[in-house]
Structures are given as structure tokens and as C-alpha cells.
Amino acid sequence: MIFKDLDPLLHNQLRLSVISLLISVEFAEFNFLLEKTGATRGNLSVQINKLKEAGYIEVTKSFRNNYPLTTCNISNAGIEAFEKYVEAISGYLNK
Amino acid sequence: MIFKDLDPLLHNQLRLSVISLLISVEFAEFNFLLEKTGATRGNLSVQINKLKEAGYIEVTKSFRNNYPLTTCNISNAGIEAFEKYVEAISGYLNK
DNA sequence: TAAACAAGTTTATAAAATAAACCTAATTTA
DNA sequence: TAAATTAGGTTTATTTTATAAACTTGTTTA
């Protein structure tokens, strides 16, 4: 095998979008991710949870103006996984 | 949405491996792809067919030393799709 | 001539992706 | 002030995919 395996958790458009956004900000709110990714709320909720279960992100739930507020930030494991993914997929792109 | 959509046909490890290999050779035999990708024969057969159905590759069946020989080459549509995919996914990698 | 091998293909099953439906609480409107 | 609407998500139902195991067709070898 001359190709490196692609982490299945990151090899998904929406999850990769979320991680790509989180990598360059300190925190991001649910609605921010929603807008930037163009996802449905249901799908975003599911994928955020998968990233959290994997330990790639941390999720903080609070309230703001009486409404629920979900905030996400990437973890060290998430950063490492992303960097590894970037390197792996680069091997497929002939660049 | 700030991310470009990723062609689902190419956003798959094995199919992307095959296209990545075909992009830099004139032809490739089934067993060559098998070895380079590390796939099972069943999976490779299925994914080659999907790429063919999409018009991304051409598949030629012949015989060599009395045994079946399947040869693949990338099409113009395949080249374009690959280039488009490379550009799209690059937008996720912060490079 | 039976067993093993070559080169694939088909199919069965599990896993994943996604949108629709749902939920709870807050707010606005009639 | 009660009904309708909005905010912010979550759950679930369904369809698609991915993949390996099983199968096929023909060839070679013991």
C-alpha cells in the first residue's frame, strides 16, 4: 500500500469543515458553524457529537439571553488528527 | 457555505487511490491497482465499476496467457473531476 | 481428474450520512 | 393570557455506501 489511511472521522465533508474551522479560532458557536458549513442543524449536531466522542473537540453547553448555547473548541488530539489527515491526503493529490 | 462540495465519487479512499494512480500512468492493470492500493479484489472491482459508470475511467477487458486481463485508464472527465476535487479539498486544509 | 490457482464479480451485511420530525423553553402576538 | 412562533438543538428513520465473504469461470498442476 502506497497510500496512507485516511482517518474515517475526518474523511467526511461536514466533520472536516468543522475541524477546519475550529483549527483557526479559539472557540466557535453552534450557529457560527451552522452558517459557515451550510449544514442542517440535525446533521451538525450529530457530527459535533461524533467529533466529541472521538476526543477531537470539546463541547461546552451554557445559556446566553436565556437560550441554550453550544460552544466548541478543538482539542490537542483534534489538532494532531487534523495534521495527520492533511499529510495523509496530500499523498493522494500529487502535489 | 465557505467550503466547496467534495465530489462523493472521489471522496472515498479506494476510488481516490485508483484515480491518483491512473492520473500519472497511461494504463494500469487490475493487479497493479490491487497491489498499490492494498484493497481486496471484491472492493476494487466494485469501485472500478463505479468510476467507470461515472465516466471517470475506461475499462478494457482482454486476455493474457489465457487469463482475463482488466486494464484501466483515466478519461478526460476523470482528469477534470480529479483536478476539481484537488482544488476543493485544498480549501479544507488551510494550505 | 481432482485439487489448487488466477482473475474477477456478485451479494449480504454492517456502518454511515443525512434530513425530517421532534423537544423544551422563551418570546411574541392577537 | 393563551395560542402561535422562534430559538437552539436532539433524536430517529431511511437511504446510501463501503466492504468482505462467497461465488464464478476458466486454467494449470500433481
Side-chain angles (χ1 to χ4, degrees):
Chain A
M1 244 246 284
I2 67 172
F3 296 103
K4 292 182 186 167
D5 274 330
L6 299 172
D7 183 342
L9 249 128
L10 295 187
H11 197 57
N12 162 271
Q13 182 166 163
L14 181 48
R15 288 193 301 268
L16 188 60
S17 300
V18 168
I19 289 290
S20 179
L21 287 166
L22 290 181
I23 200 97
S24 52
V25 299
E26 195 160 3
F27 295 94
E29 298 175 9
F30 188 93
N31 280 333
F32 172 84
L33 296 173
L34 200 57
E35 189 181 344
K36 295 297 183 185
T37 61
T40 60
R41 282 173 293 151
N43 195 7
L44 182 58
S45 175
V46 169
Q47 306 311 332
I48 281 179
N49 256 282
K50 287 192 183 177
L51 290 171
K52 176 186 157 196
E53 290 313 305
Y56 287 4
I57 68 173
E58 285 156 15
V59 178
T60 307
K61 278 156 197 301
S62 60
F63 284 88
R64 185 173 58 192
N65 305 331
N66 290 332
Y67 285 113
L69 176 67
T70 297
T71 310
C72 305
N73 65 287
I74 198 164
S75 68
N76 286 340
I79 295 173
E80 279 179 40
F82 180 70
E83 288 173 349
K84 196 171 165 192
Y85 177 83
V86 170
E87 189 176 330
I89 196 148
S90 297
Y92 294 69
L93 308 182
N94 306 334
K95 296 267 158 178
Chain B
M1 243 246 284
I2 69 173
F3 296 104
K4 292 182 186 166
D5 274 330
L6 299 172
D7 183 343
L9 249 128
L10 294 187
H11 197 56
N12 163 270
Q13 182 167 162
L14 182 48
R15 287 193 301 269
L16 188 60
S17 301
V18 169
I19 290 290
S20 179
L21 287 166
L22 290 183
I23 201 98
S24 52
V25 298
E26 196 160 3
F27 295 94
E29 297 175 8
F30 188 94
N31 280 331
F32 172 85
L33 296 173
L34 200 58
E35 188 182 344
K36 295 297 183 185
T37 62
T40 60
R41 284 173 294 151
N43 196 7
L44 182 59
S45 174
V46 169
Q47 307 311 333
I48 282 180
N49 257 282
K50 288 191 183 178
L51 291 171
K52 176 186 156 196
E53 290 313 306
Y56 288 2
I57 67 173
E58 284 156 16
V59 178
T60 307
K61 280 157 197 299
S62 59
F63 284 87
R64 184 172 57 192
N65 304 332
N66 289 334
Y67 284 113
L69 176 67
T70 297
T71 309
C72 305
N73 65 287
I74 197 164
S75 68
N76 286 339
I79 293 173
E80 278 179 40
F82 180 70
E83 288 173 349
K84 196 171 166 192
Y85 177 84
V86 170
E87 190 176 328
I89 195 146
S90 297
Y92 294 69
L93 308 182
N94 307 334
K95 294 269 155 171

